[in-house]
Structures are given as C-alpha cells and as structure tokens.
Amino acid sequence: MAPLVGLFLLFGVPAWLNDRNLADLEDRFLAYPLPPDTNFADYRTEGSIALRGNGNHCDYQVRITLSTSLSEEEVVRYYDAAGIAGVEAERAPLRVYFERSSDKAADGNMKHFIVELYDSTDPGLDLRCH
C-alpha cells in the first residue's frame, strides 16, 4: 500500500502545485481592472493547464469574455499595456479576440470579445504537461 501512496504523492503533488499556480494566475487576471465602458459578458472564467504544441512544458491559459462599447483598437491598446504577472514570468502575454459573427451584440453598441492570458513553465512531474 505504501508504494501506491508514494506514487500518488509523487505525481499528485506537482499537479496540485500547478493547479494552485493556475488559480493564482486567474486571481491576478481578474484583479486587473476592466477597460472603461466594459463589462463581463458572462461571469465564467475558463482556466486550463495542458501541453499545447510541441515540447515538454506546462501551458497555463485563462480566458474571460467581455462586452464593450470601445473600439477594437482601444481595447487592444488597453490590454497591450497590461502588466499582469505570469506564473514565473514578470509579465504574461495577453491575446484579444473579437467576435466576427456580428459587429454588434444584441445589447446595442456593445461588442463581445475574449481576453486570453497565457504562460508556460517547466512541467516537472505533472503528467498533463508531457
């Protein structure tokens, strides 16, 4: 029984630590103020840890969906200036995606968009990242 517990801890603890890193990244992302005239389109935050692409690393991704009356350029400029700390990086990269299905949402001049924060770290023994 002890070897099974040891194996569980050997691979479980790194996953728990990476889950904590993801939760902290989400907290920092959500603590960053929204641009003016911008609200949450829904209050769901999507966070994940996985190996994306080639290599041997953990990729952290957090996304939120927002709506705004600002122009795309204003929103992109706002998030380009954001200095949100990553898991290990001083500043995590952000991407902004605007919906192309329609220029305006059902609520008038509001446009919906997604902001995605991402970062990568060494995988350690987290099996999700190999």
Side-chain angles (χ1 to χ4, degrees):
M1 183 71 153
L4 288 177
V5 171
L7 278 176
F8 176 75
L9 291 175
L10 179 67
F11 293 105
V13 170
W16 297 333
L17 292 173
N18 283 339
D19 288 343
R20 180 74 251 157
N21 288 338
L22 176 63
D24 291 344
L25 185 64
E26 287 177 5
D27 290 345
R28 288 190 299 277
F29 189 29
L30 293 174
Y32 192 77
L34 297 179
D37 301 318
T38 302
N39 297 302
F40 284 93
D42 64 37
Y43 289 95
R44 192 179 67 219
T45 303
E46 298 175 34
S48 64
I49 299 171
L51 173 62
R52 293 176 179 86
N54 296 330
N56 199 21
H57 55 275
C58 273
D59 293 318
Y60 299 81
Q61 182 181 53
V62 182
R63 344 172 89 189
I64 55 175
T65 304
L66 303 171
S67 61
T68 190
S69 60
L70 300 175
S71 70
E72 289 184 28
E73 294 79 22
E74 291 171 307
V75 170
V76 169
R77 195 169 37 251
Y78 181 84
Y79 280 107
D80 279 347
I84 302 169
V87 176
E88 293 177 352
E90 186 176 318
R91 183 175 183 203
L94 284 160
R95 293 182 188 139
V96 179
Y97 303 97
F98 278 85
E99 290 185 5
R100 296 292 178 212
S101 59
S102 66
D103 288 333
K104 297 185 181 181
D107 48 355
N109 292 330
M110 303 298 279
K111 296 179 246 12
H112 290 256
F113 65 98
I114 294 170
V115 182
E116 180 180 274
L117 179 73
Y118 57 98
D119 199 7
S120 291
T121 64
D122 181 71
L125 293 175
D126 190 336
L127 295 177
R128 298 172 290 187
C129 306
H130 291 277

